[in-house]
């Protein structure tokens, strides 16, 4: 089971942050020289039926897209002033009180029951763009050792991401401890030239609903 006392080391480094450039705009293709533009003709019966079906399919697609099946939509949010982030609280989860948090973290939410999942937030110094990956991997490894001192873990993913338009880096580690498997997720976010934030999630991989909720909390996190 995860170890819950003590203090993991928050990310620390120095260096400026740089904005992520927008994707280049690609103009639509133009007609080749010497070719006439396409002309509109009244569709025949078969074409008309196909067109009607296509329009109906588009309407159904729009109707389906308008359905809101996101369990985190409209949920209350943790507004963590210290860490500089906000994130949703899944239904049934509880916010951790200040006296339930170790000093390295400023807020957290936990799944009901035995707490098969938790998400925590922390703040840190600025991290240089070229060091974001190494710092994120280091912090994830440190926290895996801290929360599972008798377990072992492997790095399964390390990729550059963004959170609310801010450059970030997300690391996943697969943890084995006392015959169970957990996933540790860490996202290091560059807030500005002076601060960074860390979101840390730990979930028992046997609880698929909680695993999806943790992913959703990370996905819906915003910079305040």
């Amino acid at each position: 089971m995860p170890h819950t006392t003590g203090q993991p080391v928050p990310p620390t480094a120095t260096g400026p942050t740089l904005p992520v450039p927008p994707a280049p705009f690609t103009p639509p293709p133009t007609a080749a020289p010497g070719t006439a533009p396409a002309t509109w003709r009244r569709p025949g019966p078969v074409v008309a039926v196909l067109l009607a079906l296509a329009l109906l399919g588009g309407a159904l697609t729009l109707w389906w897209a308008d359905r809101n099946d996101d369990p985190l939509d409209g949920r209350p949010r943790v507004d963590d002033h210290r860490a500089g982030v906000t994130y949703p609280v899944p239904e049934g989860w509880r916010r951790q009180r200040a006296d339930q948090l170790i000093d390295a973290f400023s807020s957290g939410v936990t799944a009901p029951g035995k707490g098969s999942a938790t998400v925590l937030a922390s703040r840190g110094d600025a991290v240089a763009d070229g060091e974001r990956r190494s710092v994120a991997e280091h912090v994830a490894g440190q926290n895996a050792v801290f929360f599972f001192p008798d377990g072992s873990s492997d790095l399964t993913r390390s990729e550059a991401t963004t959170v609310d338009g801010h450059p970030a880096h997300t690391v996943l580690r697969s943890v084995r401890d006392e015959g169970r498997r957990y996933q540790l997720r860490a996202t290091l976010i560059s807030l500005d030239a002076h601060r960074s934030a860390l979101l840390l999630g730990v979930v028992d991989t046997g609880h698929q609903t909680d695993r999806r909720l943790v992913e959703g909390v990370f996905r819906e996190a915003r910079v305040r």
Side-chain angles (χ1 to χ4, degrees):
M1 295 297 293
H3 178 60
T4 57
T5 61
Q7 180 173 331
V9 179
T12 57
T14 58
T17 59
L18 299 175
V20 177
F25 172 74
T26 303
T30 57
T35 59
T39 57
W40 170 259
R41 295 181 180 179
R42 182 180 181 85
V46 175
V47 176
V49 171
L50 292 176
L51 180 60
L53 290 174
L55 292 174
L56 176 61
L60 290 173
T61 300
L62 290 174
W63 171 80
W64 183 261
D66 285 340
R67 292 184 62 193
N68 188 356
D69 295 327
D70 187 350
L72 297 177
D73 186 68
R75 294 294 306 160
R77 299 180 68 87
V78 173
D79 189 358
D80 191 330
H81 293 255
R82 180 180 170 192
V85 295
T86 75
Y87 53 93
V89 182
E91 184 175 2
W93 288 38
R94 64 182 185 276
R95 302 189 191 196
Q96 295 193 23
R97 302 188 309 269
D99 60 351
Q100 295 175 317
L101 293 165
I102 54 181
D103 292 341
F105 297 105
S106 50
S107 66
V109 292
T110 303
K114 294 183 179 180
S116 60
T118 188
V119 174
L120 300 161
S122 177
R123 64 172 296 174
D125 296 332
V127 177
D129 281 341
E131 298 176 353
R132 194 177 300 115
R133 174 177 180 172
S134 61
V135 172
E137 291 179 354
H138 178 68
V139 170
Q142 278 194 325
N143 278 279
V145 171
F146 173 80
F147 284 106
F148 302 93
D150 299 322
S152 60
S153 70
D154 297 309
L155 178 68
T156 57
R157 185 187 302 174
S158 180
E159 61 183 358
T161 53
T162 60
V163 174
D164 201 15
H166 291 253
H169 199 92
T170 296
V171 176
L172 300 182
R173 295 192 71 91
S174 176
V175 181
R176 297 170 300 281
D177 185 65
E178 296 184 358
R180 303 187 69 87
R181 287 184 175 271
Y182 300 84
Q183 183 186 77
L184 185 144
R185 175 185 295 262
T187 295
L188 180 63
I189 312 162
S190 293
L191 302 180
D192 53 38
H194 307 287
R195 301 174 302 150
S196 65
L198 176 72
L199 281 179
L200 182 76
V202 179
V203 59
D204 186 329
T205 57
H207 296 257
Q208 292 300 317
T209 298
D210 287 341
R211 185 172 180 172
R212 288 191 293 269
L213 286 172
V214 169
E215 293 172 355
V217 170
F218 273 66
R219 184 175 60 251
E220 296 299 323
R222 298 291 182 266
V223 173
R224 63 178 313 280

